[in-house]
Amino acid sequence: QVWQIRLDMHLLNHDGNITDAASIAGIVALCHFRRPDVSVQGEEVTVYTPEERDPVPLSIHHMPICVSFAFFHQGTYLLVDPTEREERVMDGLLVIAMNKHHEICTIQSSGVVMLLQDQILRCSKIAAVKVTEISELIQKALENDQKARKEGGKFGFAESIPNQRITAFKMESAAVDTSDVEEQAGEIIAKADPPSEVFANPVLHTPGTAQIGEGIESSWGDLEESEKEEAAEEEGESETAAFECEKVETEDTSTVREAKSEPIVLSDSEEEEVVILEPQELPRKTR
């Protein structure tokens, strides 16, 4: 017998980068969860209440945290933790899930931008720093919650309600000043550190294939030795047939030219009259 655990997430407010927020909320919920203690004697299973025995935490070996990167201008500039407005205008998105031991758990790319090897390595280094910071914050929050529970104070959802920390859309709408947006954007782009090399078009070593980075040359388009021999034989046969066809056409053309150079005799059987016409005087139908 095993425990069956289901994790449900409900979005209270969406301001972009749901993937990172959901991964943090999910792993924290699993680390914070406690199951009832159980004892097994033969075929008899006893599930203890929280009053009888303290609940037991799950066996969490590591905490994978997602870090999202938004790309602009075909990958020239990247942005960590994009907002909802930034996601509307981004060219592509890269999500890297990593733990504090710098082990990549998953990686996902979407959008219309092709990333180079240097860009992915740069994102992985940034993700390693961010994951370490987030893991420390999660661990600290769990320790504070456990300490508050032992002291008998307010904790969890009950503590968040009076402080309005869990309230959907609690911020009032405010006007946004867009007078000098272009100047601010220009300053941000000028201060940004673009990659050392930017390729406008992807490098494809073999037609019909796509890749991330330069990689190695693909051999999918190469023919086997037997296929090469068959292709060479077919090419030789086609060249021979083409040569013979050209030769026949040449002979036919020379014969026609010789025939045109001689006078043509037309005979009328009824009147027995013979008419000799030169080649340049022949009617079109006769030719």
Side-chain angles (χ1 to χ4, degrees), residues 1-8 30 33-36 38 47 58:
Q1 295 182 356
V2 296
W3 290 103
Q4 182 180 3
I5 301 174
R6 187 183 71 183
L7 179 61
D8 295 331
L30 293 175
F33 176 74
R34 299 292 187 272
R35 66 169 179 83
V38 178
V47 180
L58 300 177

Side-chain angles (χ1 to χ4, degrees), residues 243-267:
F243 177 75
E244 293 178 355
C245 181
E246 183 179 357
K247 183 178 179 182
V248 171
E249 291 179 355
T250 305
E251 293 177 356
D252 294 343
T253 305
S254 60
T255 304
V256 172
R257 289 178 179 176
E258 292 176 0
K260 287 184 178 181
S261 62
E262 298 177 359
I264 298 177
V265 180
L266 299 180
S267 175

